Amino acid sequence: PTFGGLDVAVVGVNLRNMESFIQAVQQVEDSNPGLSPLALVRALRRTAGHDDLMTIHFLGASHNLSDTEGLEGSILNATSFSFFDKAIHHIVTDNGEERGVVLAPDGTTVALAPLLLGIESGLKATMEGTEALGIFPLSLGRTLGLSFLSLQDIPPSMRLGPNGCWDNVEQPKVFKLSRPATLATDAVINGGMDGLLLGMHLSKLPASEQPLALSEILRGYYNFTLTEKQGIDAVTSYISPKRRQLSRQLLEPLDLHTEVMTTLTLVWKLEKTEWIAQDSGLGKAVQEGLNTFMHRYLDCPQIIPRCQWGAKASRDTPIPLSLPLKFLYVHHTYEPSVPCLSFSRCSRNMRSMQRFHQEDRGWNDIGYSFVVGSDGYVYEGRGWNHVGRHTRGHNALGYGVSIIGNYTATLPSRHAMDLLQNHLALCAVNGGGLTGNYTIQGHRQVVNYTSCPGDSLFSEIRSWEHFRG
């Protein structure tokens, strides 16, 4: 059936993935020829009821904006209103289900509200010739600041997040968080980063260049295809696996403490929240929170959790590691021999390796601590806290990290090696998993019978800073 231009059978109303949302947006565009992306994103804000004081301050009240008139037949009838309202409106239920989030094709989960606010801010700047003042406050700044403040009585490491798991990555309907939510869940931060990146990009379009349709903006960022010839190293456009790298480039030059404090001051003025202005510990709480944010979301790589790639449970109680460790052992998988370039392919590889390790080798679980794909992500194996089965005689002494592929004669992507050398390792040091003077070694250096991690990759890691012969 079609309701106001929205074919619910096509978009899959009950599925909470990015492609279903994009299809719904495209159907509204197709039924309204000439509709500008700014008018549409404003109408979506109106549908979701996101006219709070700060949003109105930067973007204006959506019900007072003339370019949203006439869209009620496409968006605001009962069925399509319900779809967009449920898709965009962000809440966490009492039982830990996070709503207003969607599963992106790259395996990460994204809150739509901060994403769309960032895009609207950028479109407003470029299409109306105004300054792009609201992009950071609306996409990230307000949520980070309020999350830092609302949880001052708990450790800074718990004031952001958490991540969660979908009930089914093929047909996602329910997303459950791994612990009690903060205001800035991982999905909210992912959506905020994406809104910041796309908003800043759109705000800098030349006057002669018209923005793409909203569905095309979203598809270009989320629905990309990597190939062996056109891997992630060759991609120059904004795509979601690069969100942390690109966000770091945007945020590092800023005085983030001042940016967040300025945002909170505006919140106080608009909402007359006097306790914020009078809180003497505000500056300290913001700095502690920013330190955690920088470590977890900019220094560390995005790690796809076990539940996302479909891991089976360990066959025995995992043995805890004694942290911090002194070694990082580098492997290649050899089989699978081909680099994985998508979430679906990397997930299949992870399941295949776990099945081989459990059923053929008789191990309790997949052997590696972490596995690096060529899709831009790291995949959780046994993780930060449990002894792996990766480097005989040395499993309790270090993390075993493997890059998917056979690197006897070729190298992994530069991006994959950077994730391992400069992000996963730094994340481990700053998080207390590795000592600051840790040693990198190839598998072959400590186990005689193997050529792992392949001649090419081993030759490469010999030049890395922490490598020891």
Side-chain angles (χ1 to χ4, degrees):
T2 301
F3 297 89
L6 182 62
D7 187 337
V8 297
V10 172
V11 302
V13 165
N14 293 321
L15 296 184
R16 292 168 57 190
N17 55 39
M18 183 62 77
E19 182 55 31
S20 292
F21 180 75
I22 294 173
Q23 287 180 13
V25 168
Q26 185 174 354
Q27 287 190 23
V28 174
E29 292 167 342
D30 291 345
S31 63
N32 292 271
L35 175 66
S36 80
L38 180 57
L40 177 52
V41 79
R42 280 173 170 166
L44 292 176
R45 170 159 61 96
R46 180 177 179 178
T47 301
H50 287 159
D51 269 2
D52 57 82
L53 292 174
M54 179 171 278
T55 303
I56 293 172
H57 173 80
F58 286 113
L59 301 177
S62 60
H63 61 274
N64 289 335
L65 298 167
S66 60
D67 59 6
T68 62
E69 294 179 2
L71 287 175
E72 287 81 355
S74 297
I75 295 181
L76 298 181
N77 62 59
T79 301
S80 52
F81 177 95
S82 176
F83 173 83
F84 284 116
D85 180 43
K86 288 179 180 178
I88 300 169
H89 187 68
H90 184 265
I91 60 168
V92 177
T93 67
D94 291 341
N95 68 349
E97 179 187 347
E98 188 173 14
R99 299 176 181 172
V101 301
V102 294
L103 177 63
D106 65 358
T108 61
T109 301
V110 177
L112 290 170
L115 164 67
L116 295 173
L117 286 174
I119 289 174
E120 182 180 348
S121 300
L123 288 170
K124 183 178 189 294
T126 194
M127 298 183 75
E128 296 184 352
T130 58
E131 288 189 79
L133 297 177
I135 298 178
F136 175 77
L138 292 175
S139 61
L140 270 179
R142 170 177 52 181
T143 301
L144 289 178
L146 292 177
S147 190
F148 301 156
L149 289 188
S150 64
L151 299 169
Q152 290 185 70
D153 56 338
I154 67 172
S157 62
M158 301 293 286
R159 296 177 196 169
L160 296 172
N163 202 349
C165 291
W166 287 96
D167 55 338
N168 184 325
V169 295
E170 300 297 329
Q171 296 184 315
K173 295 180 181 179
V174 178
F175 186 70
K176 294 290 288 290
L177 295 173
S178 60
R179 60 173 170 83
T182 68
L183 293 176
T185 64
D186 281 17
V188 169
I189 290 177
N190 285 341
M193 286 182 173
D194 294 348
L196 175 70
L197 292 170
L198 292 172
M200 292 300 294
H201 171 70
L202 291 166
S203 73
K204 295 176 181 177
L205 290 177
S208 58
E209 183 177 341
Q210 285 294 313
L212 298 171
L214 179 60
S215 62
E216 293 180 50
I217 293 170
L218 295 172
R219 276 209 175 94
Y221 185 77
Y222 293 107
N223 288 19
F224 53 88
T225 300
L226 300 177
T227 65
E228 289 189 47
K229 291 184 178 179
Q230 178 81 3
I232 197 167
D233 291 345
V235 176
T236 57
S237 58
Y238 283 11
I239 57 173
S240 54
K242 290 190 170 185
R243 72 163 58 88
R244 294 196 177 194
Q245 172 189 339
L246 295 169
S247 294
R248 188 185 189 99
Q249 292 172 7
L250 274 179
L251 295 175
E252 270 194 331
L254 303 178
D255 181 348
L256 280 183
H257 188 269
T258 298
E259 294 284 344
V260 172
M261 292 290 286
T262 300
T263 300
L264 289 174
T265 300
L266 180 59
V267 170
W268 166 62
K269 288 181 178 178
L270 293 172
E271 300 182 2
K272 299 180 173 60
T273 315
E274 296 184 12
W275 67 271
I276 292 179
Q278 296 171 357
D279 190 338
S280 60
L282 173 60
K284 179 183 177 184
V286 167
Q287 191 57 60
E288 289 176 343
L290 284 172
N291 291 342
T292 299
F293 170 73
M294 295 292 288
H295 163 66
R296 186 180 299 171
Y297 298 98
L298 298 183
D299 291 342
C300 292
Q302 177 94 46
I303 297 174
I304 303 296
R306 292 170 60 92
C307 59
Q308 282 292 93
W309 59 261
K312 293 182 179 180
S314 174
R315 292 180 170 179
D316 201 353
T317 303
I319 300 172
L321 286 164
S322 180
L323 304 177
L325 306 176
K326 295 182 179 181
F327 293 92
L328 179 62
Y329 302 113
V330 177
H331 300 248
H332 70 166
T333 61
Y334 189 74
E335 289 289 344
S337 61
V338 178
C340 63
L341 297 166
S342 67
F343 166 66
S344 59
R345 172 62 67 181
C346 293
S347 295
R348 283 197 294 273
N349 288 168
M350 292 295 292
R351 293 192 296 270
S352 174
M353 287 187 287
Q354 186 188 40
R355 186 165 52 249
F356 174 70
H357 288 173
Q358 287 184 322
E359 296 178 7
D360 291 35
R361 295 253 172 111
W363 299 348
N364 292 328
D365 203 345
I366 189 170
Y368 305 118
S369 306
F370 296 96
V371 178
V372 182
S374 293
D375 62 336
Y377 294 108
V378 175
Y379 288 73
E380 181 185 24
R382 300 212 188 183
W384 296 117
N385 299 309
H386 298 133
V387 175
R389 191 79 180 265
H390 46 76
T391 312
R392 180 175 292 183
H394 297 74
N395 292 314
L397 304 179
Y399 293 117
V401 182
S402 191
I403 303 179
I404 292 177
N406 176 356
Y407 300 109
T408 302
T410 60
L411 281 174
S413 69
R414 179 56 55 186
H415 193 273
M417 291 189 291
D418 182 62
L419 284 178
L420 170 52
Q421 179 191 8
N422 297 319
H423 295 281
L424 188 66
L426 177 63
C427 184
V429 171
N430 291 343
L434 281 176
T435 60
N437 62 343
Y438 69 93
T439 293
I440 288 178
Q441 290 186 312
H443 187 193
R444 63 173 66 179
Q445 290 177 263
V446 290
V447 176
N448 291 330
Y449 59 80
T450 183
S451 62
C452 179
D455 290 348
S456 291
L457 181 53
F458 183 66
S459 177
E460 168 68 22
I461 69 171
R462 288 170 66 92
S463 68
W464 293 5
E465 179 183 352
H466 287 265
F467 178 85
R468 299 291 183 271

